[in-house]
Amino acid sequence: MTEPELSLLDRRRLATKLDIAGSAARLFLERGFEATSVEDIARAAGISVRTFYRHCDAKEDTLTPIVVAGIRDFVAYLADRPAEEPVKTSVHAAFVEAFRRDRYAHVVPTRDLFVVLTSVPGIRARWMVAAHDLTHELRPVLGERAGLDPQGLEARLLSHTLIGALTVALEYWATAELEPAERDDVTGLAASALSVIRFEGL
């Protein structure tokens, strides 16, 4: 996966957003969302409240950058898969790679991130909106691989269905009472989710 070149200013902005995300997630897990204030998050991140609001409109927005980056990584890994692979194989392999190489696990442990995403309605809503909006980035990659017109109805439906299936798998992983082996095998849950999508003939 080719990393985009970021300017020094963009790197600083990203670093600040990640500091905010990590601090917010830890506080949400320790204290609960309602008991955590913007002032608490800013203090833990080592920034002013004014700086916080330059990067986030509200505390519900603190984890969105990590969600967006994760989806974009998945799309990039999918684009890098061999062209001759079956679509289902490529999609699962891209998910495994994005999960295995989670670039932000050092900021927020992956499962902890999804526990917060699923447990706080306002944050979950941002997750759903981000996932919905980013289907337009997935659609050309998936459409080309599946032999579909990226602007056509089938490519749109397939992109939304795929994001939806993986989202449900991650929600299930974060919230269900699973056996230790299942909890350690999120990629297996993703494979189960993908099994209900009709990829045959694509």
Side-chain angles (χ1 to χ4, degrees):
M1 183 178 70
T2 303
E3 296 288 342
E5 288 291 333
L6 296 177
S7 67
L8 177 60
L9 180 58
D10 285 339
R11 289 198 298 272
R12 286 176 175 170
R13 286 172 175 165
L14 178 59
T16 300
K17 287 181 178 181
L18 293 179
D19 286 343
I20 291 171
S23 299
R26 286 188 288 272
L27 289 170
F28 296 157
L29 288 163
E30 291 169 5
R31 304 181 183 180
F33 178 78
E34 295 299 336
T36 301
S37 67
V38 167
E39 289 77 10
D40 293 332
I41 298 169
R43 189 181 308 111
I47 60 174
S48 67
V49 171
R50 182 175 180 181
T51 298
F52 174 94
Y53 280 116
R54 280 206 297 268
H55 295 280
C56 301
D57 290 334
K59 62 182 182 178
E60 288 87 350
D61 299 302
T62 51
L63 303 184
T64 303
I66 297 179
V67 172
V68 170
I71 296 172
R72 285 182 168 151
D73 283 352
F74 165 70
V75 173
Y77 289 129
L78 180 59
D80 285 345
R81 297 302 302 173
E84 66 275 9
E85 270 189 342
V87 180
K88 183 177 178 180
T89 301
S90 295
V91 166
H92 186 255
F95 177 86
V96 170
E97 190 70 4
F99 200 86
R100 182 180 70 82
R101 297 178 62 180
D102 181 359
R103 293 189 291 160
Y104 303 108
H106 68 287
V107 178
V108 186
T110 308
R111 193 167 188 275
D112 288 350
L113 171 67
F114 284 99
V115 167
V116 176
L117 288 173
T118 55
S119 64
V120 180
I123 294 178
R124 184 180 182 278
R126 265 72 165 182
W127 175 22
M128 297 299 112
V129 170
H132 178 277
D133 290 348
L134 286 169
T135 56
H136 79 278
E137 295 185 20
L138 171 63
R139 196 189 327 132
V141 175
L142 188 60
E144 180 180 1
R145 186 167 293 276
L148 300 173
D149 174 6
Q151 301 304 320
L153 177 61
E154 288 182 325
R156 293 170 187 267
L157 287 171
L158 185 59
S159 297
H160 282 277
T161 301
L162 174 55
I163 288 292
L166 294 176
T167 296
V168 170
L170 289 167
E171 286 187 294
Y172 181 76
W173 176 59
T175 61
E177 295 184 6
L178 302 174
E179 296 295 328
E182 287 184 296
R183 193 167 59 245
D184 293 339
D185 187 26
V186 65
T187 59
L189 294 176
S192 296
L194 294 177
S195 71
V196 304
I197 301 177
R198 185 184 66 80
F199 287 105
E200 292 79 3
L202 298 181

